[in-house]
Amino acid sequence: MESTSPVASSVLPSSAVTLRPEPSASALLQLARRLPLLMLFYAVPGIITASQTYFYAQAKDPTYTFDRALLMQVPTWQYWAFATPLILALGRRFRLEREVWPRSVAVHLTALAAVMVPHVSLVYFVSRAAGEKWFVENSLGQLLPLMMGKYFVTDLLIYGGIISIGYAVEYHRRYREGELAQSQLETRLVHAQLDVLRAQLHPHFLFNTLNAISVLVRKQDTAGSIRMLTGVSELLRMALNNTGRQHVPFHEDLDFLERYLDIEQTRFQDRLQVVRAIDPATLGALVPSLILQPLVENAIKHGLATRSGAGRVELRASREGVRLVLEVLDDGPGLAPGWDTHDGCIGVANVRARLNQLYGDRHTFTLENRAGGGVRARLELPFQAASSEARGI
């Protein structure tokens, strides 16, 4: 009866594994609803012991029937289906823990005696009904003390088995609840970190853009200043619309990037040349929002702004199997030794941190000097198609 069968686990009530120390009426009601499953579970040992009784009796009495063996064994096992909810409730109320185990042991031994009396009484009556001579010739009062002694060890094992299974299920449930709580905590932490990283983009970008506008104002370039202010206004609108979304379709990120490039081309005029090689198949892919803007900003800042001549920035996007490949290239002076330890690398650090949070080891991000001069930033991400709704279809 101390079986750890999955069936036994499945019929144990969930209320027995909650953290509440007191049994409640709802918990007992839930246990009662699972009574049919408990009866099905206890039918198994009933049939097994009935078979053992039948084959053992055949050696002495070939006329002994299997029906008689079932009558002797099945009802007495079914009794434990009704006793199990009560035993589990007592197990929850009087736990066998270090501080309270003496009192709990006393309570459980008393409860064991209480459940044994109807159990052995049932054994007596079904044995009489089956025609067992010893039970027919003696009264319950005469046999009760002897039967209590005979069944004490068996019933103690059954009682202890029920308590043990209940505790095992409870500890398993607590372990799962702990795992779930830890997972939820980690998820909240990741979202908080992502929100912080994304929030860093806006003031960083705005500071640089407003600085560019102030340069145009000092040059008394009214048309250019108005165009840049309009562009900034549009960028702010798009950024606010993206609030709360970690991923957007690639075409949305490109739209945002085009507004940013309009501002930069107003700032640098003929000095900035932008080349685009965008595979249309990539436009519907999901990418982290504002993922390219820091890289383009970095390419313009370090590849173009530091020299007097014209510069070139290339945007490339392609699909390679299950990977989305995004590249930002410039033809500037390239990366200086130790560049990543200097100030001014906030955008690149932000991109790297966001990709690590969102994709783990399922992405690649490299920033390296090109053979012919300049820098290439390359991202390889899992290709995830945006839904039709997200694509605006």
Side-chain angles (χ1 to χ4, degrees):
M1 282 306 300
E2 301 83 356
S3 171
T4 55
S5 163
V7 176
S9 300
S10 64
V11 299
L12 289 169
S14 61
S15 58
V17 297
T18 59
L19 301 180
R20 293 173 300 175
E22 298 290 342
S24 62
S26 61
L28 294 176
L29 179 61
Q30 189 176 12
L31 289 171
R33 289 173 178 171
R34 297 189 176 185
L35 185 59
L37 288 176
L38 287 169
M39 295 180 70
L40 181 62
F41 168 68
Y42 283 107
V44 174
I47 295 174
I48 292 174
T49 54
S51 300
Q52 292 174 335
T53 301
Y54 170 74
F55 288 113
Y56 179 76
Q58 293 302 300
K60 298 180 179 180
D61 182 7
T63 63
Y64 196 96
T65 64
F66 187 66
D67 292 343
R68 185 178 175 183
L70 288 174
L71 178 61
M72 288 279 294
Q73 298 296 333
V74 173
T76 59
W77 280 100
Q78 290 295 301
Y79 167 81
W80 293 107
F82 294 90
T84 292
L86 173 63
I87 295 171
L88 288 175
L90 286 173
R92 293 174 52 229
R93 175 65 181 84
F94 301 98
R95 304 180 64 82
L96 297 171
E97 296 176 341
R98 182 181 303 174
E99 296 81 3
V100 296
W101 71 266
R103 186 188 66 164
S104 298
V105 168
V107 170
H108 285 298
L109 288 176
T110 303
L112 173 62
V115 297
M116 279 189 65
V117 172
H119 180 231
V120 298
S121 299
L122 180 62
V123 172
Y124 171 81
F125 286 113
V126 296
S127 298
R128 281 180 65 96
E132 293 292 326
K133 182 178 179 181
W134 190 54
F135 293 95
V136 173
E137 293 177 350
N138 295 280
S139 67
L140 177 61
Q142 291 174 308
L143 297 183
L144 185 60
L146 295 175
M147 294 178 67
M148 290 288 285
K150 176 183 177 182
Y151 282 91
F152 175 77
V153 174
T154 302
D155 287 5
L156 176 63
L157 293 176
I158 295 173
Y159 189 102
I162 295 171
I163 292 289
S164 299
I165 293 175
Y167 285 166
V169 173
E170 178 178 356
Y171 290 138
H172 177 70
R173 179 68 60 87
R174 286 184 177 182
Y175 175 74
R176 295 293 300 273
E177 289 175 348
E179 280 192 325
L180 179 61
Q182 180 67 24
S183 175
Q184 291 173 337
L185 181 62
E186 291 176 354
T187 300
R188 286 195 293 270
L189 177 60
V190 168
H191 278 283
Q193 291 171 335
L194 288 172
D195 289 341
V196 170
L197 290 170
R198 188 174 53 186
Q200 288 178 354
L201 293 175
H202 298 166
H204 184 61
F205 162 73
L206 282 176
F207 174 80
N208 291 334
T209 303
L210 292 175
N211 186 53
I213 293 174
S214 68
V215 172
L216 292 177
V217 171
R218 283 196 293 270
K219 292 181 178 178
Q220 297 183 343
D221 184 351
T222 306
S225 302
I226 293 174
R227 183 179 176 184
M228 289 191 72
L229 286 171
T230 304
V232 170
S233 175
E234 181 67 13
L235 280 178
L236 287 175
R237 184 189 65 78
M238 297 177 71
L240 290 174
N241 287 339
N242 281 337
T243 300
R245 289 193 297 168
Q246 292 294 347
H247 289 89
V248 297
F250 183 46
H251 70 83
E252 286 192 22
D253 212 47
L254 276 181
D255 287 344
F256 184 92
L257 193 59
E258 291 297 338
R259 300 297 188 278
Y260 170 75
L261 287 172
D262 284 344
I263 293 173
E264 294 295 349
Q265 287 187 311
T266 300
R267 176 186 172 193
F268 291 102
Q269 299 181 352
D270 295 337
R271 291 178 54 205
L272 175 60
Q273 179 186 7
V274 180
V275 178
R276 302 165 182 83
I278 308 297
D279 184 347
T282 64
L283 297 178
L286 285 177
V287 298
S289 63
L290 308 183
I291 196 64
L292 287 184
Q293 187 274 333
L295 300 179
V296 173
E297 178 183 344
N298 206 53
I300 294 174
K301 179 179 179 181
H302 299 288
L304 176 67
T306 57
R307 64 183 184 184
S308 58
R312 175 189 176 101
V313 174
E314 296 182 39
L315 304 178
R316 300 176 183 174
S318 60
R319 179 175 183 176
E320 296 181 2
V322 295
R323 308 286 282 178
L324 173 67
V325 179
L326 306 175
E327 291 182 312
V328 177
L329 304 96
D330 67 67
D331 59 352
L335 299 169
W339 63 273
D340 54 345
T341 60
H342 297 164
D343 293 337
C345 298
I346 295 175
V348 174
N350 187 294
V351 169
R352 182 175 287 116
R354 293 180 70 202
L355 293 175
N356 285 332
Q357 292 284 8
L358 290 170
Y359 299 104
D361 59 359
R362 297 182 297 120
H363 82 282
T364 301
F365 173 47
T366 57
L367 192 66
E368 58 187 5
N369 286 324
R370 302 170 64 187
V375 177
R376 181 181 71 168
R378 178 183 173 90
L379 287 76
E380 292 186 25
L381 311 176
F383 188 95
Q384 297 174 284
S387 64
S388 299
E389 182 178 355
R391 294 199 303 268
I393 298 176

